[in-house]
Amino acid sequence: MAVSVDPIHQFELQPLVSLGHIGNQQIAFTQSALYMFAAVGVIALLTIAATSSRSVVPGRLQALAETLYEFIADTVHQATGADGKRFMPLVFSLFMFVLILNLFGMIPYAFAVTSHLIITFGLALIVILTVVIYGVAKHGSHFLGVFVPSGVPKPLLLIMVPIEIVSFLSRPVSLSVRLFANVLAGHIALKIFAFFVVQLLVAGAWGVLSPLPLALTVALTALEFLVAALQAYVFATLTAVYLADALHPGH
Amino acid sequence: MAEKNPLTTPSPNADTKIVPPGSPQAHTEQASGGHHAAFPPFESHTFLSQLIWLALAFGLLYYLMSKIALPRIEAILGDRARRLSADLDEAQRMKSEADAAGAAYETSLRQAQAKAQAIAQDTRNALSAEADAKRKTLEAELNQRLAASEATIRARTTEAMGNVRAIAGETAAAIVERLTGQAPDQATLDRALSATPALN
């Protein structure tokens, strides 16, 4: 089947319902959108349906929801301190959204929503806009202190401030590209190694070598599960770290 | 153009063409391999659509998490922590109560023991005092009787000794009358009786 040969084909958007155009932008309900809403549904099931009994002694799913909550609450608390609690819903939503979408991508034949740069960039934009808007609203011009490292001699500030500005501006890029590139590269690598197995099997005597890429595929699959969870954690942690800047602009 | 995947090749009427995933048409189109337009993640004409769905999905998720899920989980955890600490406090209180009760029991036990010992001691003392008193009374009585008896004996002896003088006087008078034929006068008899040392 030719479809499986192309390692890029898996990232194509398939419109399920096309809704028209705005300029050259096609507006369509794609499988990507379906996966996003499915992820929202799964997260709601896990965090709302599983906790509906509000039992003091939790069931399995409630225990999972509590563990995830405490995990993110710890991360947020460590990065931002006590007043970071107001950002808990944002960081938790981001973490769960990225985690579930990454894990959806690990289901065979499923679509990896986070392999699209615009999605990860959109998520990073939410974070950066929250940091800037909250920081300016809370601290006004003091928020610019984020670019001025404290305890640095005045002459050095001439160098440090531009560096800080560039570093701040590169945050949304690094945040989105990191997640996107990890997921994309992982899926391409999986596809290519899996295709090697097929190619070797149909290549006569070379077929004896086919277990090698098969083993690699299995190992890569395990690695990709790790990456899926790790990138969600990294995204959430960096979000919390950036939000700490909005809360305490002075370094 | 009509056979191409509408999302890989933007065209004004692309929205009229819907290619369900996995349809034979999609496969032949891929198998032909004639066109590999852009790399899907970089096809900018899909960006607005993706951002809209992302905003809707993430907005819904954020709403659900911030309004329902997180307050509920927080309430569950808070409730559990409160209950645990309340139970621990209750257990601590009960333990101290039990300790106090144990100490009180020990104290009252010791007090009761001391009291019992005191009562036993008192009873023993009282009994022995009573016995002593009785013994002393008895002894005194006995001594008294002894003394009385001795006095009686002495009186009797004295009396008897007195009688002896009278008897001796009568006897002597009788003997003298028999021997001399005439009774001696009383004065002589008294003199003779007084001169006899055994009668005095």
Side-chain angles (χ1 to χ4, degrees):
Chain A
M1 197 158 91
V3 174
S4 61
V5 177
D6 180 5
I8 302 302
H9 175 72
Q10 57 176 325
F11 303 117
E12 266 172 25
L13 289 170
Q14 308 283 353
L16 304 175
V17 180
S18 195
L19 300 172
H21 281 84
I22 299 175
N24 71 337
Q25 294 287 321
Q26 187 185 12
I27 309 303
F29 189 80
T30 59
Q31 95 275 39
S32 168
L34 182 66
Y35 276 102
M36 284 195 266
F37 283 106
V40 173
V42 167
I43 298 166
L45 271 182
L46 180 62
T47 57
I48 297 174
T51 58
S52 57
S53 63
R54 292 181 167 82
S55 36
V56 173
V57 179
R60 288 183 193 184
L61 282 180
Q62 189 185 322
L64 178 59
E66 288 174 10
T67 308
L68 288 167
Y69 176 90
E70 288 185 322
F71 176 62
I72 295 302
D74 278 354
T75 306
V76 172
H77 187 83
Q78 276 173 16
T80 64
D83 46 355
K85 205 166 175 295
R86 69 178 69 227
F87 293 122
M88 180 65 195
L90 177 64
V91 181
F92 188 78
S93 301
L94 282 170
F95 174 73
M96 291 305 291
F97 198 61
V98 173
L99 177 68
I100 298 295
L101 286 178
N102 283 353
L103 290 178
F104 273 175
M106 291 310 294
I107 301 171
Y109 298 107
F111 178 74
V113 179
T114 41
S115 67
H116 276 251
L117 181 58
I118 189 66
I119 296 289
T120 59
F121 187 74
L123 292 172
L125 214 57
I126 293 173
V127 175
I128 298 305
L129 287 180
T130 307
V131 169
V132 172
I133 293 172
Y134 182 83
V136 171
K138 180 97 186 287
H139 303 284
S141 60
H142 287 295
F143 181 63
L144 293 176
V146 104
F147 302 120
V148 185
S150 62
V152 176
K154 282 261 160 69
L156 266 184
L157 282 179
L158 285 175
I159 310 167
M160 292 298 287
V161 169
I163 291 177
E164 290 286 333
I165 291 175
V166 169
S167 134
F168 188 86
L169 291 179
S170 66
R171 280 174 180 182
V173 177
S174 70
L175 197 56
S176 52
V177 169
R178 182 183 300 109
L179 176 58
F180 151 75
N182 267 285
V183 175
L184 184 84
H187 279 73
I188 291 177
L190 264 182
K191 194 86 171 187
I192 289 173
F193 277 109
F195 184 58
F196 278 171
V197 183
V198 182
Q199 275 185 318
L200 284 171
L201 279 178
V202 298
W206 290 107
V208 294
L209 289 178
S210 62
L212 284 175
L214 180 64
L216 256 174
T217 308
V218 171
L220 266 179
T221 305
L223 180 70
E224 283 311 303
F225 271 106
L226 175 72
V227 168
L230 195 66
Q231 286 305 319
Y233 173 63
V234 167
F235 201 97
T237 307
L238 286 175
T239 300
V241 169
Y242 296 160
L243 287 170
D245 275 349
L247 287 164
H248 320 285
H251 279 236
Chain B
M1 286 300 275
E3 282 88 25
K4 286 174 183 170
N5 189 318
L7 281 183
T8 53
T9 312
S11 67
N13 60 345
D15 58 319
T16 60
K17 185 76 190 157
I18 296 165
V19 182
S23 74
Q25 196 179 13
H27 292 162
T28 48
E29 182 249 339
Q30 277 299 320
S32 69
H35 78 289
H36 275 297
F39 184 51
F42 294 153
E43 286 177 335
S44 59
H45 68 279
T46 65
F47 283 0
L48 182 62
S49 175
Q50 293 204 63
L51 281 179
I52 291 171
W53 294 119
L54 172 68
L56 288 175
F58 192 76
L60 175 66
L61 177 67
Y62 185 84
Y63 176 80
L64 289 176
M65 291 303 108
S66 61
K67 293 291 171 214
I68 307 175
L70 296 186
R72 186 187 289 176
I73 296 175
E74 203 179 336
I76 292 172
L77 293 175
D79 179 48
R80 181 173 310 141
R82 257 194 311 282
R83 278 205 205 190
L84 278 181
S85 68
D87 284 358
L88 283 177
D89 287 352
E90 180 73 4
Q92 188 60 41
R93 195 182 59 75
M94 282 183 165
K95 187 182 176 300
S96 58
E97 262 180 27
D99 285 350
Y105 168 76
E106 287 291 331
T107 316
S108 65
L109 188 67
R110 265 195 299 278
Q111 278 173 351
Q113 274 175 346
K115 210 170 179 182
Q117 273 174 354
I119 290 174
Q121 192 59 46
D122 282 356
T123 313
R124 248 196 316 275
N125 289 347
L127 283 177
S128 70
E130 201 180 333
D132 272 358
K134 270 190 183 165
R135 188 165 49 81
K136 275 182 189 138
T137 323
L138 210 57
E139 275 177 1
E141 201 177 328
L142 287 175
N143 284 343
Q144 215 176 339
R145 277 199 206 163
L146 205 60
S149 303
E150 277 176 0
T152 315
I153 291 169
R154 214 173 297 120
R156 290 273 171 77
T157 313
T158 317
E159 197 182 287
M161 292 309 281
N163 288 348
V164 166
R165 183 181 172 106
I167 292 168
E170 279 170 22
T171 312
I175 292 171
V176 167
E177 195 176 359
R178 188 74 61 78
L179 289 175
T180 61
Q182 84 177 62
D185 64 287
Q186 197 56 47
T188 315
L189 208 53
D190 280 347
R191 229 183 302 118
L193 280 174
S194 300
T196 312
L199 293 179
N200 289 304

